[in-house]
Amino acid sequence: MDAFFVNVHLLENPEDRGKPLAVGGKPGQRSVIASASYEARELGVRSAMASSKALKLCPKLKLVSSNRPKIRACSTKVMNILSRYGVLERMSVDEAFVDISSQANPPALVKTILKRIKDETKLPASAGLSTSKLVSKITGFDVQPNKAIVGANAFAHEAGIHQDGMLKHSGTYEIMTPESVGLKETKLVLGKHSGKHAFSVCLLYTSPSPRD
């Protein structure tokens, strides 16, 4: 689904359409952006970005809380539509795989599914068509923040808040384990966004006797 939380908000608040808009927590509470409108994205606002940073980049950004009951209801409607066309594997509230390999014309069916979602829920959706789930994940979708993909850098985390969360509990930012795709471990990439936690862990592994 496209900017799912934002578009669910717009269903009940159409006056916010066309504005820089984001769904997320209030600044000052270590909160992050859950979803951003395309108007906000054009100004640099991204999902998983700290709310305080988003407001600095876009002072006119309208920040709203998520309507979880409405989000769950909309998600259920979308998943029910998808389940009519094949075996459904739900990945999150706004993402799923559907096996339509037995259908006569999958490309045409995808267009039908997207139109049906739009007509029945008034929500925009996107889809990727491929030969397998892994290929779909790599090439079929715009990869969303906090979702791991399979590839050379699939488990390399560079953003500080991701690194800290991943070190505390890898399931927070990875939807699969490195071992499940033949990798030995998750990698940390030290960069300008890295924090103390990631730096101390990397220092521990690169120096047997780190100095202050």
Side-chain angles (χ1 to χ4, degrees), residues 25 27 30-33 46-55 161:
R30 295 182 64 84
S31 55
V32 298
I33 300 299
R46 297 288 184 270
S47 298
M49 176 182 287
S51 298
S52 56
K53 181 178 180 180
L55 287 169
I161 191 171

Side-chain angles (χ1 to χ4, degrees), residues 26-154:
K26 301 300 181 183
Q29 302 175 355
R30 295 182 64 84
S31 55
V32 298
I33 300 299
S35 179
S37 68
Y38 285 97
E39 293 80 8
R41 294 181 193 181
E42 289 177 358
L43 298 172
V45 178
R46 297 288 184 270
S47 298
M49 176 182 287
S51 298
S52 56
K53 181 178 180 180
L55 287 169
K56 288 179 181 179
L57 287 171
C58 181
K60 293 183 179 180
L61 179 70
K62 183 170 183 179
L63 192 58
V64 299
S65 300
S66 60
N67 184 338
R68 294 190 178 279
K70 182 69 173 178
I71 288 171
R72 285 194 292 268
C74 289
S75 176
T76 298
K77 287 182 180 179
V78 172
M79 298 302 166
N80 286 341
I81 292 171
L82 294 176
S83 66
R84 300 171 193 170
Y85 297 95
V87 177
L88 174 74
E89 184 175 348
R90 182 171 178 167
M91 303 301 292
S92 67
V93 71
D94 63 346
E95 184 178 357
F97 291 112
V98 183
D99 184 359
I100 58 172
S101 57
S102 62
Q103 301 293 333
N105 190 345
L109 181 59
V110 168
K111 294 180 180 179
T112 298
I113 294 172
L114 293 179
K115 184 177 184 302
R116 188 165 192 171
I117 291 174
K118 181 66 174 179
D119 291 344
E120 295 187 19
T121 70
K122 309 303 180 186
L123 293 167
S126 59
L129 185 63
S130 66
T131 56
S132 71
K133 287 190 295 183
L134 288 182
V135 174
S136 250
K137 197 64 184 174
I138 297 170
T139 64
F141 294 97
D142 291 331
V143 180
Q144 301 174 5
N146 301 348
K147 300 292 190 297
I149 63 171
V150 178
N153 297 314

